[in-house]
């Protein structure tokens, strides 16, 4: 592996140490099972740094700088990790570590749900798009459910025409499967009785939190501000400002990847340099 100047999105040694065991085990398992027909030649850390570069900057895969592995190889790893749930596994692992770090139980009992409609790029198939009539947006809708710290518990991506009820029930199914300890969730008024009834059937009390009608303009709404802050965190990753992914599941993986980046920094007390700040030594990659 040749030396190169680091990018602000590169993993530090400490952050790489958090995710390396899972990815190394994945590659070894494929080798042992004979899935990989040839010996891998690219360093896994380089692959992850390239994926994070796309996630953070929003560029197309084909425009990856040439000091990364070939874009087709990088995308191949991303697609495989997305399909096989590797990003979901890493998010689950790091979420537990962050919760423990904050003195919380590893398995959350309370959560908050919200949805966000975003425009899509021209390469997104029309069959996976729709129109959010309320927000006048043609594109896709993302639904996320977080714990009370704002950490991602589940995500779903579908056409913007999908109702919040459909998204809410999907999120509840995912979240309670992964975290059977969940007993409470707060939602906004876009989620209706079907979500409340579905939650009750799963043993989750769904409480609809509405804004005080006496307050005009912006106001912090009980509990809901947590998930809205998480959406703000995610929007620091330019790949998420618009939906560029051909497949909705890859779109969900891009969201999960952004949260993995956030979680790893929380655990190592690091921050990503702004575009105007010089790189710190901790971001220098070993060669």
């Amino acid at each position: 592996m040749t030396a190169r100047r680091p990018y602000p999105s590169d993993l530090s040694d400490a952050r790489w140490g958090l995710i390396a065991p899972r990815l190394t085990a994945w590659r070894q398992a494929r080798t042992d099972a004979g899935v990989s027909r040839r010996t891998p030649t690219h360093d896994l850390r380089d692959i992850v740094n390239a994926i994070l570069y796309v996630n953070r900057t929003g560029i197309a895969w084909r425009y990856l700088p040439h000091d990364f592995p070939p874009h087709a190889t990088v995308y191949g790893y991303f697609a495989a990790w997305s399909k096989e749930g590797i990003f979901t596994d890493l998010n689950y692992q790091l979420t537990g570590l962050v919760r423990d770090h904050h003195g919380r139980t590893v398995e959350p009992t309370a959560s908050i749900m919200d949805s966000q409609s975003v425009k899509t790029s021209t390469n997104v198939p029309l069959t996976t798009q729709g129109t959010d009539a309320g927000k006048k947006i043609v594109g896709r809708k993302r639904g996320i459910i977080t714990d009370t710290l704002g950490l991602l518990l589940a995500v779903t991506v579908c056409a913007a025409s999908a109702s919040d009820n459909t998204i809410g029930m999907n999120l509840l199914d995912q979240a309670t499967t992964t975290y059977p300890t969940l007993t409470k969730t707060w939602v906004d008024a876009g989620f209706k009785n079907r979500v409340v009834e579905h939650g009750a059937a799963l043993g989750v009390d769904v409480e609809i939190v509405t804004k005080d009608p006496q307050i005009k303009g912006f106001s912090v709404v009980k509990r809901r501000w947590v998930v809205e802050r998480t959406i703000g965190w995610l929007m620091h990753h330019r790949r998420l400002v618009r939906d560029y992914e051909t497949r909705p599941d890859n779109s969900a993986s891009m969201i999960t990847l952004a949260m993995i980046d956030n979680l790893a920094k929380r655990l190592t007390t690091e921050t990503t340099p702004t575009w105007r700040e010089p790189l710190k030594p901790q971001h220098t990659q070993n060669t």
Side-chain angles (χ1 to χ4, degrees):
M1 183 169 58
T2 58
R4 64 169 174 80
R5 294 182 62 185
Y7 294 103
S9 55
D10 280 0
L11 291 165
S12 65
D13 290 343
R15 281 189 286 144
W16 171 239
L18 289 170
I19 66 175
R22 181 68 183 92
L23 300 182
T24 303
W26 172 86
R27 175 181 270 184
Q28 187 60 51
R30 286 171 63 91
T31 301
D32 294 343
V35 176
S36 300
R37 296 183 180 179
R38 56 185 178 181
T39 303
T41 57
H42 296 288
D43 185 80
L44 280 175
R45 186 168 174 177
D46 273 345
I47 296 291
V48 176
N49 280 335
I51 295 173
L52 287 174
Y53 186 93
V54 171
N55 186 261
R56 182 72 184 188
T57 65
I59 65 164
W61 295 103
R62 191 176 297 275
Y63 284 82
L64 268 172
H66 296 302
D67 49 8
F68 282 124
H71 74 272
T73 300
V74 174
Y75 177 77
Y77 274 88
F78 169 79
W81 290 340
S82 177
K83 181 180 180 180
E84 297 181 32
I86 303 302
F87 295 124
T88 301
D89 290 349
L90 286 171
N91 183 70
Y92 176 82
Q93 172 193 340
L94 297 179
T95 295
L97 292 174
V98 172
R99 286 184 58 83
D100 182 67
H101 177 74
H102 285 276
R104 306 293 182 90
T105 58
V106 173
E107 300 283 329
T109 58
S111 59
I112 310 99
M113 278 196 293
D114 201 5
S115 65
Q116 175 195 37
S117 294
V118 293
K119 295 180 179 179
T120 45
S121 62
T122 55
N123 66 295
V124 174
L126 292 176
T127 54
T128 66
Q129 298 183 57
T131 302
D132 183 331
K135 297 179 180 177
K136 304 296 190 293
I137 291 178
V138 178
R140 284 180 177 157
K141 186 177 286 189
R142 304 162 175 165
I144 65 172
I145 183 168
T146 73
D147 68 2
T148 54
L149 294 175
L151 310 183
L152 188 69
L153 303 182
V155 58
T156 186
V157 178
C158 54
S161 53
S163 69
D164 282 350
N165 276 331
T166 300
I167 289 174
M169 290 187 290
N170 185 303
L171 288 174
L172 284 172
D173 287 339
Q174 285 190 57
T176 53
T177 299
T178 307
Y179 301 97
T181 51
L182 282 179
T183 58
K184 179 74 176 183
T185 191
W186 292 273
V187 300
D188 66 24
F191 297 88
K192 308 298 183 183
N193 288 338
R194 284 181 61 199
V195 176
V196 176
E197 293 167 359
H198 190 72
L202 295 172
V204 179
D205 175 28
V206 180
E207 179 181 343
I208 298 175
V209 182
T210 58
K211 179 181 175 181
D212 186 344
Q214 302 299 321
I215 301 177
K216 295 184 179 181
F218 173 80
S219 65
V220 177
V221 182
K222 173 187 139 181
R223 298 292 183 179
R224 277 172 40 195
W225 67 270
V226 173
V227 70
E228 290 167 356
R229 181 186 59 180
T230 298
I231 291 174
W233 290 340
L234 296 173
M235 289 302 101
H236 286 299
H237 298 256
R238 293 185 178 184
R239 186 78 176 190
L240 305 183
V241 173
R242 183 183 290 264
D243 196 329
Y244 295 96
E245 313 310 319
T246 303
R247 298 168 55 100
D249 55 340
N250 283 351
S251 181
S253 290
M254 276 293 178
I255 295 169
T256 305
L257 180 64
M259 182 52 68
I260 290 170
D261 192 34
N262 179 290
L263 293 168
K265 289 170 186 171
R266 282 170 174 252
L267 289 167
T268 57
T269 64
E270 298 174 28
T271 58
T272 298
T274 66
W275 307 110
R276 297 182 181 180
E277 291 176 341
L279 287 173
K280 298 178 181 180
Q282 65 186 25
H283 289 274
T284 301
Q285 180 167 324
N286 294 334
T287 59

